[in-house]
Amino acid sequence: MSQRTIVILGAGAWGTTLAGLAAAKGHSVHLWSRQQGDLQTVLGDADLVISAVSMKGVSAVVEQVGQVAIASHTVFVTATKGLAATSSADTMPLLPSQIWQAALPSHPIVVLSGPNLSQEIQQGLPAASVVASHDRAAAATVQAALSSNAFRVYTNPDMLGVELGGTLKNVIAIAVGACDGLQLGTNAKAALVTRGLAEIIRVGTYWGAKPETFYGLSGLGDLLATCNSALSRNYQVGYQLAQGKTLTDVIAQLQGTAEGVNTTQVLIKLANEQAIAVPISHQVDRLLKGDITPQAAVEALMLRDYKPEIH
Ligand SMILES: NC(=O)C1=CN([C@@H]2O[C@H](COP(=O)(O)OP(=O)(O)OC[C@H]3O[C@@H](n4cnc5c(N)ncnc54)[C@H](OP(=O)(O)O)[C@@H]3O)[C@@H](O)[C@H]2O)C=CC1
Ligand SMILES: O=C(CO)COP(=O)(O)O
């Protein structure tokens, strides 16, 4: 594999980790953050640009990148797991890849998503991930560039499903964190993860994603990782709310971003507008808003109308 010039946008936990993976493969790596570095200088000769910016910074960074002269062959990769609300009820929320594609219509956009807790990868532990794009050649280029003996990268043509899996699981991870914080046991956790996956698939297929994608690494895989690890910031939000802390205090003390807090808001707006059943996400929303205690959220889920497991 030829060595590439790779620019990572965002020097947070994930950007720094991806920079390490890319550097270990011998690529020429530039890690850019808002605090330092001139975008024009770093982007000029980039083969790959990987954005690991959190959702709240995506539009601002995309706008800056859009003002810079970029080589025509540059492939953009988005690793953000978030949703941006839109103002109209007729429009779906925007995914990070859609924001990148709108600003850079002539460049291939690739989504990177999977069960990738950054601290484990930084320790050199093995992990797998998925790259997805409408441009299969671009996805294959990113796969080859990032794959190593510590990081196995698969391709998937379902870009929407791969991006949504990594995003929607954060809401369920908050619910599961609360379940563990309340010490509700393994049966309850298994029920939440399984019914959470059903909820993710319901939303994802409404959006147009393929259901089978959600059983892959970027769906079930990432759901299992985040719901089973105290390293997950989203899990931590739920866990600490269940310990009686306020959301403000939890976020203030959290190391890094918990995208699920914003994603829950955007998802609930969509679910209400489009009448998509997301009972777990609804309880997470009420919990985050302080409208319900974790114990009352559990009771509300247990006492719902009787349902068949599969429709
Ligand atoms: N950590 C992980 O294990 C993984 C995280 N992700 C996803 O990657 C994204 C980043 O996560 P992570 O690195 O952990 O988060 P951190 O909180 O560690 O870092 C946040 C990143 O977002 C950037 N950022 C924040 N606000 C703005 C803004 N207003 N304008 C521009 N840039 C901004 C920061 O940029 P700057 O460097 O300039 O300060 C920083 O790079 C999230 O969407 C997350 O879900 C995906 C896979 C794994
Ligand atoms: O997405 C992640 C792991 O794949 C990181 O999870 P958290 O954002 O909850 O820490």
Side-chain angles (χ1 to χ4, degrees), residues 51-93:
S51 167
V53 170
S54 54
M55 192 65 236
K56 67 176 181 217
V58 169
S59 291
V61 170
V62 168
E63 196 183 324
Q64 282 184 67
V65 171
Q67 290 162 7
V68 166
I70 298 158
S72 59
H73 74 278
T74 306
V75 172
F76 284 81
V77 182
T78 167
T80 304
K81 294 175 176 173
L83 291 177
T86 46
S87 47
S88 158
D90 300 331
T91 327
M92 298 296 278

Side-chain angles (χ1 to χ4, degrees), residues 230-300:
L231 292 176
S232 159
R233 286 83 45 98
N234 290 288
Y235 174 95
Q236 279 298 335
V237 167
Y239 191 93
Q240 291 182 37
L241 287 174
Q243 308 281 297
K245 290 191 186 166
T246 65
L247 182 60
T248 310
D249 286 347
V250 173
I251 289 177
Q253 286 158 20
L254 201 64
Q255 293 265 321
T257 309
E259 295 280 21
V261 175
N262 175 63
T263 298
T264 303
Q265 270 186 41
V266 181
L267 170 62
I268 292 304
K269 180 171 174 286
L270 172 74
N272 287 342
E273 285 166 0
Q274 307 300 329
I276 310 169
V278 289
I280 299 171
S281 305
H282 264 296
Q283 296 307 328
V284 171
D285 185 49
R286 297 176 75 196
L287 185 61
L288 292 173
K289 286 180 176 151
D291 290 348
I292 196 168
T293 63
Q295 292 85 350
V298 174
E299 188 160 334

